[in-house]
Amino acid sequence: MEDDNRFLSGCGTFLGVSFGLFMLYAGLNYSGFCLAQIRYLSDEDKFRKEFERFNQLDTTFIPERQNNENGGQRYKRIKYESFEQFMESNPDCCTVRPSGIASLWLRITGVHSGEVTVMKYTVYYLDENGERRSRESKRQIILQNCGQRWYILEPSS
């Protein structure tokens, strides 16, 4: 009988500790904590990660019309030299705001950070005559807790 009580007590302790660890994990993920890097990403970290993704693209799509209905064309992109140059050229370009669309499951698993990274910036490209042109681009990106792109809410260039 005493062995049964010790067994049940041990099971209760194991379940209690397991539940506590799960709650800690879920709570950290829900709050946006990056477990792989053992830190919260700063807004600058998020902007830099997205900048590195789009700045490596060789072309940009320019729609014929604002709503993209009639197609468009790809042009050679003029890349920014660095993240610092990008930020200098596009002051007040970037914000992070609550998304309001994440399910509880996506938040506690860290798949959705609960935020949207909004970036408005100038894209430079060479037109069909080799002339330097520019246009405004806007991206709304949902990142995972460690900065991986999960979803793009608006078309990107």
Side-chain angles (χ1 to χ4, degrees):
M1 188 78 160
E2 197 173 301
D3 288 339
D4 287 343
N5 286 339
R6 261 192 277 182
F7 175 76
L8 290 176
S9 177
C11 285
T13 302
F14 174 76
L15 290 175
V17 169
S18 296
F19 182 72
L21 289 174
F22 170 76
M23 292 303 291
L24 177 64
Y25 170 81
L28 286 172
N29 271 336
Y30 189 86
S31 72
F33 190 76
C34 173
L35 290 167
Q37 298 178 28
I38 311 173
R39 69 184 183 99
Y40 290 96
L41 297 183
S42 68
D43 289 352
E44 183 180 320
D45 291 332
K46 296 169 190 174
F47 305 149
R48 185 180 295 272
K49 283 182 177 286
E50 193 54 33
F51 163 79
E52 289 168 356
R53 285 185 192 101
F54 71 72
N55 199 53
Q56 67 182 325
L57 299 174
D58 293 326
T59 62
T60 188
F61 179 77
I62 307 297
E64 287 181 17
R65 294 195 174 188
Q66 194 68 19
N67 59 9
N68 290 350
E69 281 182 23
N70 292 332
Q73 188 171 343
R74 291 212 159 270
Y75 294 98
K76 179 169 176 43
R77 178 187 289 261
I78 300 171
K79 298 179 183 184
Y80 287 95
E81 292 178 22
S82 65
F83 177 70
E84 290 70 27
Q85 181 200 26
F86 169 77
M87 293 303 286
E88 273 182 32
S89 300
N90 299 280
D92 304 321
C93 67
C94 310
T95 59
V96 175
R97 61 178 173 78
S99 73
I101 61 170
S103 71
L104 177 64
W105 180 252
L106 291 175
R107 293 286 305 276
I108 66 172
T109 57
V111 171
H112 190 307
S113 66
E115 299 174 328
V116 176
T117 302
V118 180
M119 300 177 78
K120 295 178 188 177
Y121 57 94
T122 304
V123 175
Y124 297 97
Y125 63 97
L126 299 175
D127 69 10
E128 58 276 351
N129 299 318
E131 303 263 339
R132 181 184 170 110
R133 302 276 183 217
S134 66
R135 76 171 186 94
E136 295 302 308
S137 182
K138 179 180 179 182
R139 292 173 171 234
Q140 292 190 57
I141 309 102
I142 295 174
L143 301 176
Q144 295 179 4
N145 289 354
C146 292
Q148 302 91 334
R149 187 185 291 160
W150 184 65
Y151 191 78
I152 298 177
L153 295 173
E154 290 201 14
S156 58
S157 54

